[in-house]
Amino acid sequence: MNGVVLLSTYNTTWPQFTFICPNSRYNNNLTVVKSLASSSSSSETSGSSDELKKVLLEQVDKELSKGDDRAALSLVKDLQSKPGGLRAFGAAQQVPQRLYTLNELKLNGIETASLLSPKDNTLGAIERNILIAALLGFISAWVAFDFGPEELLYISLGVFFIWTLDSVAFAGGFSSLVLDTIGHNVSQKYHNRVIQHEAGHFLIAYLLGILPKGYTLSSLEAFQREGSLNVQAGTVFVDFEFTEQISAGRVTATMLNKFSCIALAGVATEYLLYGYAEGGLADVNTLDGLLSSLGFTQKKADSQVRWAVLNTILILRRHEQARTLLAKAMSEGKSVGSCIDVIEKNIDETNI
């Protein structure tokens, strides 16, 4: 995928950073924006403002589908500055950045142990049940067909080969696909948890000024869309500004703050809803890896993570209704533009 960071619910791979190049459609889109904006300024009705927003968000979807991330972001930023435009994009109020102690987080109702150490009990239980069923099936077949030592050896080697192939060639993608698909079908709680997790990523990114590019809510959906077992469910973002900074070897504090909060938004959402996080271990590990690669000491990394946790939790608490309705829109497969419209219509303007 060009120009995106993948923050995945259960992905275990490091995100790939690549560049996207602007093309001729970019300038054409600016002309469209100016034309539409001009027609909007000549009208004083809220209806025309809403119509402008609708048209431009549809154009954002078109540019994202074509892979022209720069044009899509330009449209959003232009609409952001127009009266009645995108009020919430990049407008989140944030807490001052300093070293927060664990006691200060506790005073804000945050237990970091339940948030930063996610363990997927649902998929873990499914995996154990599958292994038990497979073992019982193997024993039953052994008894029923009177397998000898050679047959048992061949079967064992075959199973070991398949497991090794999946682990090496697909980074466990096939087993993850199977477990995730079963989880979505047998556990409504797991299904809802994944949706809320990705809605948290989407909402925090948007409120901090990072444009979501797309999302998938299951490994099967990701496989059908990307055709690769190495891609898991998750949310992707327009992040060429970030990748350019990474390439130059200089990441600004502002950009790092944004992506720290986005990375922790999924586990933070689960924590607020369920009291603990199950999915999102890869998100936490990705952030840890990024901070390490930037040369952060343990104390400095802890400070960054604690601030990001507090900042993200407080933003999510203020906008619970918007997140809930956004999750509903995402569960219905709404486009990025439609999801943005849901946020804008339901955000608390007095306390963004």
Side-chain angles (χ1 to χ4, degrees), residues 198-206 212 215 235 326 330 336 339-340 343:
E198 297 308 328
H201 282 311
F202 193 115
L203 178 63
I204 290 297
Y206 184 77
Y215 63 90
T235 305
L326 171 62
M330 293 173 70
V336 169
C339 288
I340 289 174
I343 294 174

Side-chain angles (χ1 to χ4, degrees), residues 290-297 300:
L290 175 60
L291 297 178
S292 177
S293 70
L294 293 174
F296 275 44
T297 63
K300 189 175 181 181

Side-chain angles (χ1 to χ4, degrees), residues 78-341:
D78 195 86
L79 186 55
Q80 177 188 23
S81 63
K82 296 295 182 290
L86 302 179
R87 304 154 299 172
F89 183 66
Q93 300 177 30
Q94 304 185 59
V95 298
Q97 189 169 20
R98 61 174 176 82
L99 174 60
Y100 291 92
T101 66
L102 292 177
N103 285 333
E104 286 179 298
L105 295 184
K106 288 181 180 179
L107 289 175
N108 283 277
I110 302 172
E111 293 287 345
T112 54
S114 300
L115 191 153
L116 295 176
S117 301
K119 183 178 180 181
D120 200 327
N121 296 318
T122 303
L123 292 189
I126 292 174
E127 186 175 18
R128 287 192 298 272
N129 290 334
I130 291 176
L131 291 175
I132 292 172
L135 179 60
L136 292 176
F138 181 77
I139 294 174
S140 300
W142 182 14
V143 173
F145 298 103
D146 193 22
F147 287 151
E150 289 188 5
E151 288 85 356
L152 293 178
L153 176 62
Y154 293 147
I155 293 174
S156 299
L157 289 175
V159 172
F160 179 74
F161 173 77
I162 293 173
W163 178 81
T164 303
L165 179 64
D166 179 46
S167 299
V168 175
F170 305 113
F174 179 74
S175 58
S176 296
L177 173 62
V178 172
L179 289 174
D180 181 73
T181 301
I182 294 175
H184 279 284
N185 284 279
V186 304
S187 173
Q188 187 62 41
K189 183 178 180 180
Y190 174 79
H191 178 71
N192 292 336
R193 182 186 293 274
V194 173
I195 294 172
Q196 297 293 343
H197 183 110
E198 297 308 328
H201 282 311
F202 193 115
L203 178 63
I204 290 297
Y206 184 77
L207 294 180
L208 293 180
I210 300 296
L211 177 63
K213 178 185 176 75
Y215 63 90
T216 53
L217 301 178
S218 72
S219 295
L220 181 59
E221 182 184 353
F223 174 71
Q224 291 172 336
R225 185 171 297 181
E226 301 295 335
S228 172
L229 288 173
N230 292 323
V231 180
Q232 305 298 319
T235 305
V236 292
F237 306 97
V238 173
D239 77 325
F240 56 83
E241 295 169 321
F242 182 54
T243 58
E244 287 169 355
Q245 292 183 16
I246 288 286
S247 179
R250 298 189 304 271
V251 178
T252 65
T254 299
M255 188 64 71
L256 179 60
N257 288 345
K258 290 180 180 182
F259 276 90
S260 297
C261 293
I262 295 169
L264 297 176
V267 292
T269 300
E270 290 192 37
Y271 176 78
L272 288 175
L273 289 173
Y274 306 103
Y276 60 95
E278 283 195 16
L281 179 60
D283 297 339
V284 176
N285 290 340
T286 295
L287 178 57
D288 286 343
L290 175 60
L291 297 178
S292 177
S293 70
L294 293 174
F296 275 44
T297 63
Q298 189 60 54
K299 181 178 180 180
K300 189 175 181 181
D302 289 344
S303 175
Q304 180 71 25
V305 170
R306 289 175 189 175
W307 171 82
V309 165
L310 178 61
N311 193 51
T312 303
I313 288 285
L314 294 182
I315 294 174
L316 288 170
R317 282 176 177 165
R318 292 199 300 271
H319 304 298
E320 180 180 1
Q321 181 183 5
R323 192 214 69 246
T324 300
L325 294 174
L326 171 62
K328 182 177 183 296
M330 293 173 70
S331 70
E332 296 171 352
K334 300 293 186 180
S335 69
V336 169
S338 297
C339 288
I340 289 174
D341 192 43

Side-chain angles (χ1 to χ4, degrees), residues 20-79:
I20 43 176
C21 299
N23 55 38
S24 60
R25 293 193 301 268
Y26 180 70
N27 293 327
N28 292 337
N29 290 325
L30 290 180
T31 302
V32 172
V33 172
K34 292 176 180 178
S35 174
L36 289 170
S38 176
S39 64
S40 174
S41 61
S42 64
S43 173
E44 298 180 355
T45 65
S46 60
S48 62
S49 179
D50 289 341
E51 184 63 26
L52 168 66
K53 188 187 303 182
K54 179 181 177 182
V55 170
L56 289 182
L57 288 177
E58 289 176 352
Q59 186 66 27
V60 168
D61 283 333
K62 290 179 182 178
E63 298 307 326
L64 290 176
S65 67
K66 292 186 292 188
D68 197 341
D69 293 2
R70 292 180 185 270
L73 182 59
S74 177
L75 287 166
V76 170
K77 287 184 175 181
D78 195 86
L79 186 55

